[in-house]
Amino acid sequence: MKAQEVPQDDNSTYHGEKRAVYATTKDGDYDVVASSGWDVEAEATQQAVAELQRLADEAYAACETGKCSPLEYHMYAKRLDLLSLSQATGLFQWRIKRHFNVKNFNKLSDKLLDRYADVMGITISELKKLPQKES
Amino acid sequence: MSVASKEFIHKHAGHCESGVMSTMLSHHGLAMSEPMAFGLSSALSFAYLPFVKLAGMPLIAYRSIPKAIIKGLQKNIGVKMKIETFSNQQKGQERLDVLLEEGKIVGAQTSVFWLPYLPEEMRFHFNGHNLLVYGKEASTYKISDPVFEHVVEASEQEFLKARFAKGVMAPKGAIYYPTFVPENIDYASVVPKAVKAVAKRMLKTPVPIAGLKGMRYLAKNIRNLESKDRRYARLFLGHIVRMQEEIGTGGAGFRYIYASFLQESGKILGNETLLEASEMMTAVGDSWREFALLIAKSIRSKKSETVDFDAIAKKLESIADEEALVYQKMLTAF
C-alpha cells in the first residue's frame, strides 16, 4: 500500500486517536503512516460492539420480567460471555448458568457475588440490580 | 546498565509487542525498528483454530503466539530479558515502583479491557496486550503504549486492574526488562535464519490449521457458512476482518510490517532477492486489504441479499497461492 492510499476515514471508534500503518513512500521505502481509520475496519468493530449490545439488551429485558438474574445482563454489559466469565472466575459454566436463575442468584453468598463483581469491576450492590435504563 | 538519566522517546508502532521491544532495545542503545524486531523474531504466521473460542468466535491469528517476539529476540540476537510475575497484587505494584525508581523503563503485559485511555469500542477482554511504563508521578503511571501516537497515563488502581485481569492468558502482573543488550547485531547470520524459519513454517507446517494450509482450511469453512445461521455467518466474517485489521497489526495482518522488514534487511545485506520478496509481500498485503473490503461489502449488504461466500473463499485461496510464491522466493535468498 502506498502512503497516499492509507485510508483516513476518521473512524468514530478511534475517538480522534490514530493508528500506525506501514506503507511505502514515493521512493518505495516503507514508513509508518498515522491513519485516522478505515471504514472497513470500523464496520467490523461496530458490528461486534452492536452484537454485544444486542445480547445485553435482550438479557436486560429478560431480567426486568424476572426471567433471568441481573448476573446475565452484567456479563454481557461487561463484554463477557459464559466461556470468558467461567475462565475469569474459575467457576464451571453449568454453575454460572444456575446463577442466571433468579431464585438461585438471590441465595448466593457475598463471597461468591464478590467473585463475579471483581472480574466485572463493579460492586456487589451494583451486581444485584439492573442499572437505570438510559433514556 | 546505567540508563537512569536517559530521556525516554516514545514511538508509534503498528503492533504492541514488537513496538515495545523496538522502543525498549533502542532505549538501551541497540537501535532497532519495529519491523526489524518483528522480523528477527520470525513472528509472521497464520493460524486458524476453530476449537479455541474468543468471544464466541474461533481464534484467527496472523502472527505467532503472544510473547513469541520477546522470546524470539532473546534466542536470535542474544538479548537477555527478565520477566517477573506475581501472585500478590500489592507485591506486583511495589516491584514495578522500585524498578521505575531505579530509572528503568519496564514492559508490562495487561488486559485491553481495563486500560482507561482506550476508546470504549476498542475494549475487549484480551489479556495479551503489551506496553511500556516509563515513569510514575504521584500515583499516576506514565505509559508508552506503542499503538498510540502519543504517551498516555493510568492511575495506580486502574493499572493494577489491567495487570491482574483474570481469565485466559492472565498476565499475573507480568513485567519485563532487559538484563543484557548486545551492542550490535550480526545481520548476515541472523536474518537468513529468521527469514527461513517463517518461510518453512508457512509452507511446510504439517497440521492443517497453521500456515498456508490454515488459510485454505479457513476458506473451506467460509464456504460452509452458507448453511449456517445468517447472523453468525456475518459475525464470523466481521471477526476475520477485526483480527486482521483492528487488533494492532500495522495493516493487512502484519504482511506490511513484514514487507518492511524484508526491505530493511535487503538493504542492510545488499540482497536483491529480499528486496524482491518485500515487493511481493507488499502485493500480498494489498490482496488481504481487498479481501477485507470484499467482506465489508457483503456484511454491509441488505439482509435480503445473499452473501457470496464462494467469492470470499476464492479470494482467500488466491492469497494463499500468492503468499506461497513469496515464501519460496525467501528460501532462495541465501
Side-chain angles (χ1 to χ4, degrees):
Chain A
M1 186 166 48
K2 296 198 173 68
Q4 65 269 26
E5 289 166 6
V6 171
Q8 303 289 352
D9 293 346
D10 283 317
N11 283 12
S12 63
T13 55
Y14 281 22
H15 291 248
E17 301 292 347
K18 285 192 172 152
R19 173 153 307 180
V21 172
Y22 281 82
T24 51
T25 56
K26 260 183 266 151
D27 325 317
D29 290 345
Y30 262 98
D31 203 357
V32 171
V33 177
S35 161
S36 65
W38 188 27
D39 283 343
V40 165
E41 181 209 323
E43 279 168 43
T45 307
Q46 278 154 2
Q47 182 201 35
V49 171
E51 172 65 7
L52 286 160
Q53 189 62 48
R54 185 185 69 85
L55 291 167
D57 288 347
E58 275 183 16
Y60 192 101
C63 294
E64 265 186 326
T65 55
K67 277 194 209 115
C68 75
S69 71
L71 176 65
E72 190 168 352
Y73 163 77
H74 287 292
M75 174 178 78
Y76 289 123
K78 291 294 167 186
R79 298 191 176 168
L80 291 156
D81 57 14
L82 196 53
L83 177 64
S84 51
L85 183 59
S86 159
Q87 286 160 339
T89 55
L91 299 169
F92 285 115
Q93 293 189 28
W94 61 263
R95 214 172 151 204
I96 297 175
K97 264 192 202 158
R98 283 200 63 215
H99 302 159
F100 289 162
N101 181 303
V102 182
K103 243 181 167 172
N104 295 327
F105 181 77
N106 289 339
K107 279 189 280 186
L108 291 185
S109 67
D110 274 6
K111 204 178 149 199
L112 205 51
L113 287 171
D114 188 55
R115 233 158 124 178
Y116 285 123
D118 180 51
V119 300
M120 294 175 181
I122 54 178
T123 62
I124 292 181
S125 62
E126 281 171 322
L127 177 66
K128 278 179 165 169
K129 56 177 192 242
L130 291 172
Q132 291 288 328
K133 223 175 204 167
E134 289 166 37
S135 51
Chain B
M1 220 180 303
S2 159
V3 289
S5 57
K6 202 171 159 187
E7 204 189 329
F8 175 75
I9 301 165
H10 171 75
K11 218 161 58 175
H12 195 194
H15 177 61
C16 64
E17 196 178 330
S18 47
V20 162
M21 287 310 286
S22 151
T23 305
M24 193 181 259
L25 293 177
S26 301
H27 182 81
H28 285 94
L30 184 70
M32 185 182 286
S33 69
E34 183 197 11
M36 195 46 89
F38 187 82
L40 290 185
S41 53
S42 306
L44 193 76
S45 187
F46 187 86
Y48 168 51
L49 311 178
F51 43 86
V52 180
K53 300 279 189 214
L54 210 84
M57 287 290 157
L59 183 72
I60 300 166
Y62 291 78
R63 54 151 291 184
S64 49
I65 55 169
K67 292 211 185 96
I69 295 174
I70 298 171
K71 284 182 186 150
L73 285 175
Q74 294 193 78
K75 194 176 142 218
N76 290 349
I77 66 167
V79 172
K80 290 205 169 60
M81 302 288 295
K82 172 102 175 138
I83 303 179
E84 298 180 26
T85 55
F86 306 87
S87 51
N88 178 301
Q89 300 199 5
Q90 198 51 41
K91 284 202 176 119
Q93 174 162 334
E94 283 166 13
R95 180 68 183 141
L96 173 61
D97 292 354
V98 167
L99 289 168
L100 291 173
E101 257 165 50
E102 287 172 11
K104 284 199 169 70
I105 56 164
V106 185
Q109 185 191 341
T110 70
S111 149
V112 173
F113 189 79
W114 299 108
L115 291 174
Y117 54 83
L118 232 71
E120 185 79 23
E121 288 90 339
M122 300 286 165
R123 290 197 206 167
F124 292 93
H125 292 277
F126 174 65
N127 283 335
H129 189 58
N130 286 278
L131 48 79
L132 275 167
V133 190
Y134 68 94
K136 190 179 185 186
E137 261 170 37
S139 60
T140 304
Y141 287 105
K142 302 280 199 183
I143 294 170
S144 158
D145 190 323
V147 299
F148 275 73
E149 210 178 3
H150 47 86
V151 290
V152 287
E153 292 180 342
S155 73
E156 254 174 13
Q157 214 184 354
E158 291 162 334
F159 197 53
L160 207 58
K161 190 90 189 154
R163 284 179 66 201
F164 286 91
K166 297 183 178 107
V168 178
M169 295 197 307
K172 299 194 181 85
I175 48 176
Y176 50 91
Y177 48 91
T179 53
F180 173 75
V181 179
E183 277 175 22
N184 44 49
I185 299 167
D186 180 10
Y187 290 104
S189 75
V190 184
V191 169
K193 247 197 288 182
V195 165
K196 280 183 199 159
V198 165
K200 283 184 188 157
R201 176 194 302 148
M202 294 302 289
L203 289 170
K204 291 175 184 164
T205 300
V207 286
I209 50 172
L212 298 176
K213 285 198 185 118
M215 287 162 61
R216 297 210 167 88
Y217 183 38
L218 176 59
K220 200 174 136 195
N221 274 251
I222 290 173
R223 274 200 188 89
N224 290 345
L225 288 175
E226 197 93 53
S227 57
K228 295 266 164 61
D229 171 60
R230 173 175 285 190
R231 178 157 59 206
Y232 175 80
R234 281 171 202 253
L235 282 169
F236 185 98
L237 292 175
H239 173 71
I240 301 175
V241 173
R242 286 180 56 221
M243 294 300 116
Q244 180 189 315
E245 297 296 336
E246 182 196 79
I247 320 288
T249 70
F254 302 101
R255 269 55 188 168
Y256 290 140
I257 288 190
Y258 201 76
S260 176
F261 156 73
L262 290 172
Q263 184 180 64
E264 195 179 337
S265 303
K267 280 185 188 163
I268 292 170
L269 300 175
N271 187 318
E272 278 300 320
T273 317
L274 283 183
L275 292 175
E276 279 170 49
S278 168
E279 277 179 27
M280 290 164 79
M281 192 56 99
T282 302
V284 164
D286 292 344
S287 297
W288 277 107
R289 301 279 280 195
E290 288 162 21
F291 171 70
L293 186 64
L294 197 62
I295 288 180
K297 274 185 189 151
S298 65
I299 299 175
R300 207 182 291 156
S301 67
K302 294 214 183 66
K303 289 274 181 292
S304 55
E305 288 172 45
T306 50
V307 176
D308 192 351
F309 294 106
D310 190 53
I312 295 169
K314 273 206 184 98
K315 180 73 189 171
L316 184 53
E317 282 160 348
S318 80
I319 296 174
D321 293 339
E322 203 183 340
E323 276 201 14
L325 298 176
V326 189
Y327 301 124
Q328 279 152 9
K329 185 87 177 172
M330 278 156 54
L331 285 176
T332 65
F334 308 102

